[in-house]
Amino acid sequence: MAAANPAESLQDEASCSICLDYFTDPVMTDCGHNFCRSCITQSWEGRDTDFPCPQCRETSQQRNLRPNRQLANVTEMVKKLSQTSARPKEENLCEEHEEKLKLFCEEDQKIICLICRESRDHKSHTVIPIKEAVQEYKEKLKMHLKPVKKNLEDLEKFKSTEEKKAEKLRSDTERKRQIVESEFEELHQFLNKEKQIFLSRLEEEEKKILQRITENVIQLEEQNSSLMQLISEIEEKSQQPTNELLKDVKDALSRCQKMTFPVPEAVSTDLKLGFQLSFPQQLKKWITKFEGMDWWMEFGRYTVNLTLDPETAGPDLVLSEDRKSVRMGYTRQKVPDTPERFVTYPCVLGSEGFTSGRHYWEVEVGDGSYCILGVCKDCVRRKGGIKLSPEEGFWTVGLWNKQGCWTLTSPKTQISLSEFPRAVGILLDYEAGKVSFYDAENKSHLFTFTDSFTGKLRPFFMNYSKFPLRIRQVPT
């Protein structure tokens, strides 16, 4: 057919397989197929990753479109060629009867001549003049095109609204970041000042108490010397002969009776510094924020020593020897396609499974992460398309390259962050039906799923980055 009708083949090559019209601003995907830029963009609307080719279904990890200027030039030439050949086509004759094609068969959707109309193939069919058919189908196309254009307009408006939201979010985040940095700098200066004040008070109090203790010691030493002198004199008196001993003996006894010494007042070593901090409002807010967070210290009791299960790891992943970290590999590995293994996406499960109790672990995500973390049912789908949602047995959050953090729900929801977490803590409370996520560095709460769990749950990891996700040691 291509050799018999090269003009039609050329038109097909210059047409988009999505809109079936000539290419407009043609672009090429990684797999080598061409589409109108607007067509492929609309086809990929709402996707953050795994962009399938509409023609061959091969997926790309990133939105990578290259303009095909040479094809655009060829398309323009085909358009001009079709315009110059349009008139002769209108004069085309029926190949079978060599009569002008004047009628349109609605059942067969085919242009026919008057003789074809009387043939057995079309005699019982509804046939109308070509002009009427063209007008009718133009109206139908126009009618169907109207809601499509309306949908496009709505999408453009929604896109504009979302872009404005993103810009406002970035502006608000920057403003709040500056406020936080300013407040904590002020707090830092205040605490340093208070520190110096109390260290100075501590030193003064120490000097005061030491001075009083020294005075008492001097007084006691003087009294001790007087007593030792009196004892020596009395002992010497008692050794004298009878006449000498009885001489002035009353005076010696009187001196013993009158020798009294006041006991110095005991010095207390309790440091009374009068700690009455006049905390600024910023510090009070900071203290309030972390009130009730003592339970964090108990997390060590629920810490589990996780390892990764290589039998579930996707072919694109590389696990460390200690099975504590996982990253995206540079080449796809040849591994057995077992029922336990994820194939389509770079996922891996923890070796440990849980059917009761509380369990806590932390994962280092670093600076350039593009990952998804959480828990899932042991029986989740592992082949083909996977929808990460609680309805499908996944309770997860995603972190995209320091751009934000989302809960993978239907629809997904962005989590407000004061700073992008470098490590994420995950607490599974099976009986309570909760999976909670925390910034493991500043101990702040990110999000909690609440559901009802049945069956075994396992830690879930998905990593699109060359930077490894690592299960880190948590102090117990």
Side-chain angles (χ1 to χ4, degrees), residues 179-400:
I179 292 173
V180 170
E181 289 179 353
S182 174
E183 289 181 349
F184 272 86
E185 178 61 28
E186 180 182 346
L187 179 60
H188 182 69
Q189 294 176 1
F190 168 79
L191 290 176
N192 273 338
K193 183 178 178 181
E194 290 291 321
K195 172 185 173 183
Q196 296 304 321
I197 290 174
F198 283 106
L199 287 176
S200 177
R201 290 183 185 177
L202 185 65
E203 186 177 355
E204 291 177 1
E205 187 73 11
E206 180 193 26
K207 287 180 179 179
K208 187 186 299 183
I209 295 174
L210 285 176
Q211 182 178 356
R212 293 175 57 189
I213 292 175
T214 301
E215 291 175 353
N216 281 354
V217 169
I218 293 173
Q219 181 180 351
L220 290 171
E221 287 179 348
E222 292 176 351
Q223 293 176 353
N224 183 58
S225 177
S226 299
L227 284 173
M228 290 180 66
Q229 183 178 354
L230 178 60
I231 290 171
S232 177
E233 292 178 1
I234 295 301
E235 287 179 346
E236 183 180 350
K237 183 72 173 175
S238 62
Q239 297 299 323
Q240 291 178 351
T242 302
N243 292 337
E244 292 294 328
L245 185 146
L246 294 176
K247 183 179 179 181
D248 299 326
V249 69
K250 288 185 177 181
D251 181 58
L253 293 174
S254 176
R255 288 172 60 195
C256 288
Q257 293 173 351
K258 292 180 179 180
M259 182 67 74
T260 59
F261 300 96
V263 179
E265 182 179 354
V267 179
S268 173
T269 57
D270 293 337
L271 297 173
K272 299 177 181 179
L273 299 178
F275 285 98
Q276 295 180 354
L277 294 175
S278 55
F279 288 114
Q281 192 64 27
Q282 294 93 326
L283 184 56
K284 289 183 180 179
K285 290 180 180 179
W286 185 76
I287 292 175
T288 302
K289 177 180 178 181
F290 290 99
E291 280 183 352
M293 294 288 284
D294 292 340
W295 52 266
W296 183 267
M297 301 302 295
E298 299 181 6
F299 274 25
R301 295 192 297 163
Y302 308 125
T303 298
V304 290
N305 184 22
L306 283 187
T307 56
L308 300 172
D309 183 1
E311 299 300 321
T312 64
D316 296 313
L317 295 178
V318 177
L319 274 61
S320 62
E321 291 185 1
D322 62 357
R323 295 194 294 160
K324 288 289 187 177
S325 70
V326 58
R327 63 173 176 83
M328 175 72 83
Y330 293 94
T331 57
R332 193 174 178 88
Q333 301 182 80
K334 293 182 180 180
V335 292
D337 185 8
T338 60
E340 294 79 19
R341 190 178 306 281
F342 290 89
V343 175
T344 310
Y345 300 100
C347 306
V348 63
L349 300 183
S351 300
E352 295 72 14
F354 312 111
T355 56
S356 63
R358 290 183 178 181
H359 310 277
Y360 178 75
W361 61 94
E362 292 181 356
V363 183
E364 296 176 358
V365 299
D367 291 326
S369 62
Y370 184 40
C371 63
I372 297 173
L373 302 171
V375 300
C376 70
K377 290 184 177 180
D378 187 43
C379 59
V380 293
R381 177 185 178 90
R382 306 187 189 188
K383 313 294 182 184
I386 300 174
K387 183 179 181 182
L388 300 181
S389 67
E391 292 79 10
E392 297 297 323
F394 295 87
W395 294 269
T396 56
V397 298
L399 299 98
W400 312 139

Side-chain angles (χ1 to χ4, degrees), residues 396-407:
T396 56
V397 298
L399 299 98
W400 312 139
N401 293 326
K402 299 194 73 174
Q403 296 177 6
C405 181
W406 283 267
T407 65

